Amino acid sequence: MQPTLEDQERHLLVKVIDRVLYKLDELVRPFVHKILVVIEPLLIDEDYYARVEGREIISNLSKAAGLATMIAAMRPNIDNIDEYVRNTTTRAFSVVASALGIPALLPFLKAVCQSKKSWQARHTGIKIVLQIAILIGCAVLPHLRSLVEIIEHGLDDENQKVRTITALSLAALAEASAPYGIESFDSVLKPLWKGIRSHRGKVLAAFLKAIGFIIPLMDAIYASYYTKEVMFILIREFQSPDEEMKKIVLKVVKQCVSTEGVEADYIRSDILPEFFKNFWVRRMALDRRNYRQLVETTVEIANKVGVADIVGRIVEDLKDESEPYRRMVMETIEKVVTNLGASDIDARLEELLIDGILYAFQEQTSDDANVMLNGFGAVVNALGERVKPYLPQICGTIKWRLNNKSAKVRQQAADLISRIAVVMKQCQEEQLMGHLGVVLYEYLGEEYPEVLGSILGALKAIVNVIGMTKMTPPIKDLLPRLTPILKNRHEKFKRTALILSVGLPIMELNSFLRGSG
């Protein structure tokens, strides 16, 4: 418990406690409370391995001391005024349940969840169910009905915090048991539906989260009905200023949309207009968690309604003045196009898309270049031969950026050649690739190792698609320039140079290797 203890020292002490437990077995009972006081804080430690060690100790302690002793030691903490103590206690009880089996703990859990003495006890009991669902996952299935019955009354509890934690526990149970177990949730559907109409704020968010995880368990016909019922509440909450509510609403929309029985026409007419109006705004790109969730939800909607409906609504935003927002648009387009291809993108949308990705690619200033690179590569590869008219413009942009003073920009331009070389071959643009080969050859004197590695990778990609014989400059001219590079110790371009040299005519390869030592 000393604050000066280092991680390694704490780890060794924890191991000692574990060995002592093993030797003492049931003789450890008088010391259970003292051990728990020291070990329970590990369950909420920032370090993953510390949490694992804490669970392991409490699991072994449960097996050595028995359920009765564990309950007796932790019972006073269940209605403790300090939330920190209650939180660590719920996690400890979930470990005991996984070690000794849920059925052994059910009678105790039932008594705690129905405690008349204090709302803290009810809150802790229901939170134990939440932690059990998180810890043991799909292993809750055999006990699902019992666990739901134990906590269902909490949806109508007089205390707001108890109602909230009950809904969150139901969400965790539904998530753990997916895609099975809908029968166990029959008794809570009515109070949940009643709750989303009467609650606001954090309680509503928790109720929506529970419904979001229960709907995917339903048969298609019921899922469609319940989605339409919950959707008008969700659309109302699209305008909520609360970031946590936004995240939950996005998650629930994603779950509802992905469920069988929800038709594309319904999504187009009822969800898309409000969804894009409220969520596709610059502010969403600045919060990392909302950013991720918005991209995932939009991709899920695209899986239902198709590429054109989604890309058509956001393609103009590739020219937005906010770079984080442009990056979010590019990432979404990349994922949608990678998943679904570009077959339903018409000629006008295709022009807007190429124009947009070129603008976004050229105007980037941040160090996170991968999003733009991946997006550009995905769009060009999805369009395939349709990209032929735009290739001179794309290659012009690449050549201009290869001459940029920033090493990151030069590297990204070379990496883009590697991504689109196959498409250039499909479009029979061998002459253009030969020209790019000459340009890259001139940049083999690059001073930055990372950039030089990308230039070699681009040359390799061109050689792979047009072949050794058609390569310009000829391979015999290229080899002497690679010799000093192989002497360099930097891993990235040593490897690329070697790969580039594989498959060369044997005479040339021999002289190349001799020259490089």
Side-chain angles (χ1 to χ4, degrees):
M1 293 182 78
Q2 295 301 315
T4 54
L5 209 61
E6 287 180 12
D7 286 353
Q8 184 61 24
E9 293 170 329
R10 183 179 68 179
H11 167 74
L12 289 171
L13 275 172
V14 166
K15 284 291 168 199
V16 170
I17 293 173
D18 204 11
R19 300 286 161 84
V20 170
L21 277 179
Y22 182 72
K23 292 286 183 191
L24 286 178
D25 202 37
E26 61 188 37
L27 293 174
V28 82
R29 282 176 182 164
F31 312 102
V32 164
H33 186 262
K34 287 184 176 179
I35 294 172
L36 283 172
V37 167
V38 177
I39 299 299
E40 275 185 356
L42 288 179
L43 297 174
I44 54 172
D45 198 274
E46 287 176 7
D47 181 20
Y48 168 76
Y49 296 101
R51 297 199 299 272
V52 170
E53 277 185 338
R55 287 201 288 266
E56 195 181 332
I57 295 272
I58 291 175
S59 179
N60 292 342
L61 186 62
S62 308
K63 288 166 188 168
L67 182 64
T69 309
M70 295 301 287
I71 289 175
M74 291 194 281
R75 174 67 191 86
N77 294 338
I78 279 178
D79 50 4
N80 196 296
I81 295 165
D82 187 353
E83 196 172 343
Y84 173 86
V85 174
R86 297 204 307 274
N87 192 16
T88 53
T89 304
T90 58
R91 286 164 194 260
F93 264 116
S94 69
V95 177
V96 173
S98 77
L100 303 178
I102 294 173
L105 204 63
L106 280 176
F108 170 73
L109 268 181
K110 189 170 184 179
V112 172
C113 291
Q114 292 177 349
S115 166
K116 295 277 193 291
K117 198 170 78 171
S118 71
W119 70 265
Q120 283 98 335
R122 297 197 297 278
H123 186 276
T124 308
I126 293 166
K127 197 168 183 180
I128 292 170
V129 174
L130 172 85
Q131 293 298 340
I132 288 172
I134 292 169
L135 184 63
I136 69 172
C138 61
V140 298
L141 263 171
H143 320 289
L144 190 57
R145 191 180 289 277
S146 307
L147 291 170
V148 171
E149 283 172 1
I150 283 172
I151 65 171
E152 64 184 7
H153 64 86
L155 291 174
D156 299 317
D157 198 274
E158 62 196 28
N159 187 283
Q160 183 177 313
K161 285 191 172 180
V162 175
R163 294 199 295 272
T164 306
I165 200 70
T166 306
L168 293 175
S169 299
L170 289 169
L173 287 169
E175 184 179 13
S177 59
Y180 308 107
I182 184 60
E183 309 80 20
S184 304
F185 294 98
D186 283 345
S187 58
V188 295
L189 285 176
K190 196 172 175 184
L192 279 173
W193 241 254
K194 201 173 140 194
I196 62 168
R197 284 169 168 75
S198 57
H199 293 310
R200 288 285 186 276
K202 280 192 166 62
V203 191
L204 174 61
F207 274 58
L208 285 173
K209 189 174 184 181
I211 286 171
F213 279 107
I214 291 172
I215 283 178
L217 312 183
M218 297 177 179
D219 292 336
I221 188 164
Y222 293 110
S224 173
Y225 169 76
Y226 279 111
T227 295
K228 286 172 184 170
E229 287 291 306
V230 77
M231 198 50 73
F232 87 90
I233 305 279
L234 287 172
I235 290 170
R236 185 192 74 203
E237 292 301 321
F238 280 0
Q239 298 171 27
S240 168
D242 182 26
E243 296 302 319
E244 193 60 31
M245 176 62 96
K246 278 190 168 155
K247 196 162 72 51
I248 286 171
V249 165
L250 281 169
K251 178 79 174 168
V252 177
V253 169
K254 180 191 170 194
Q255 289 162 321
C256 291
V257 164
S258 63
T259 307
E260 265 186 81
V262 179
E263 284 88 20
D265 289 338
Y266 170 71
I267 296 168
R268 277 192 201 101
S269 61
D270 287 41
I271 301 174
L272 283 191
E274 288 296 317
F275 177 78
F276 279 95
K277 180 181 158 191
N278 290 294
F279 286 118
W280 276 93
V281 292
R282 289 174 191 166
R283 198 174 75 245
M284 292 297 282
L286 302 175
D287 182 334
R288 198 70 202 159
R289 287 166 69 200
N290 280 346
Y291 174 117
R292 290 256 66 81
Q293 192 61 62
L294 180 56
V295 171
E296 283 175 26
T297 304
T298 310
V299 170
E300 198 59 59
I301 292 173
N303 290 343
K304 268 286 169 67
V305 301
V307 176
D309 274 300
I310 299 301
V311 173
R313 285 174 183 270
I314 58 175
V315 71
E316 299 278 3
D317 294 337
L318 282 168
K319 292 186 170 184
D320 193 88
E321 59 192 42
S322 162
E323 187 173 359
Y325 186 59
R326 290 201 302 269
R327 202 160 53 240
M328 185 168 77
V329 174
M330 184 70 110
E331 189 174 335
T332 305
I333 289 174
E334 179 226 327
K335 288 191 162 124
V336 168
V337 166
T338 305
N339 283 357
L340 304 168
S343 55
D344 62 340
I345 291 179
D346 61 25
R348 175 67 186 138
L349 186 52
E350 177 192 298
E351 280 176 34
L352 288 170
L353 188 54
I354 295 288
D355 191 36
I357 61 172
L358 274 168
Y359 178 88
F361 188 73
Q362 284 171 294
E363 293 297 318
Q364 59 190 311
T365 53
S366 75
D367 290 338
D368 183 14
N370 277 341
V371 172
M372 295 303 178
L373 184 64
N374 294 341
F376 205 123
V379 170
V380 169
N381 280 287
L383 288 170
E385 291 180 15
R386 293 165 63 182
V387 98
K388 187 177 171 77
Y390 312 105
L391 279 176
Q393 188 186 358
I394 291 169
C395 291
T397 300
I398 289 172
K399 283 194 295 180
W400 180 64
R401 288 177 78 78
L402 276 172
N403 203 21
N404 194 288
K405 66 175 187 278
S406 162
K408 283 267 184 197
V409 170
R410 298 199 298 276
Q411 183 183 344
Q412 191 193 30
D415 285 337
L416 186 58
I417 296 174
S418 308
R419 304 284 177 99
I420 65 171
V422 175
V423 176
M424 291 173 80
K425 170 72 173 167
Q426 282 174 1
C427 299
Q428 282 115 31
E429 288 285 359
E430 271 134 359
Q431 192 179 347
L432 195 53
M433 272 197 284
H435 176 59
L436 280 177
V438 173
V439 172
L440 289 166
Y441 175 74
E442 289 166 3
Y443 285 105
L444 283 176
E446 171 65 55
E447 59 180 314
Y448 286 90
E450 292 291 337
V451 185
L452 185 52
S454 293
I455 288 169
L456 288 170
L459 276 168
K460 178 178 70 116
I462 292 173
V463 171
N464 282 349
V465 293
I466 67 173
M468 295 284 175
T469 51
K470 293 182 185 174
M471 181 64 188
T472 52
I475 293 296
K476 65 180 190 321
D477 294 345
L478 187 58
L479 284 176
R481 295 294 297 271
L482 293 178
T483 307
I485 293 171
L486 270 180
K487 288 178 180 172
N488 194 302
R489 293 182 173 276
H490 196 282
E491 188 62 32
K492 178 174 176 179
F493 55 70
K494 246 171 69 176
R495 188 173 65 248
T496 318
L498 270 172
I499 293 168
L500 187 54
S501 64
V502 169
L504 302 178
I506 196 71
M507 292 294 290
E508 290 176 6
L509 184 57
N510 275 335
S511 63
F512 168 56
L513 290 174
R514 259 200 310 278
S516 67

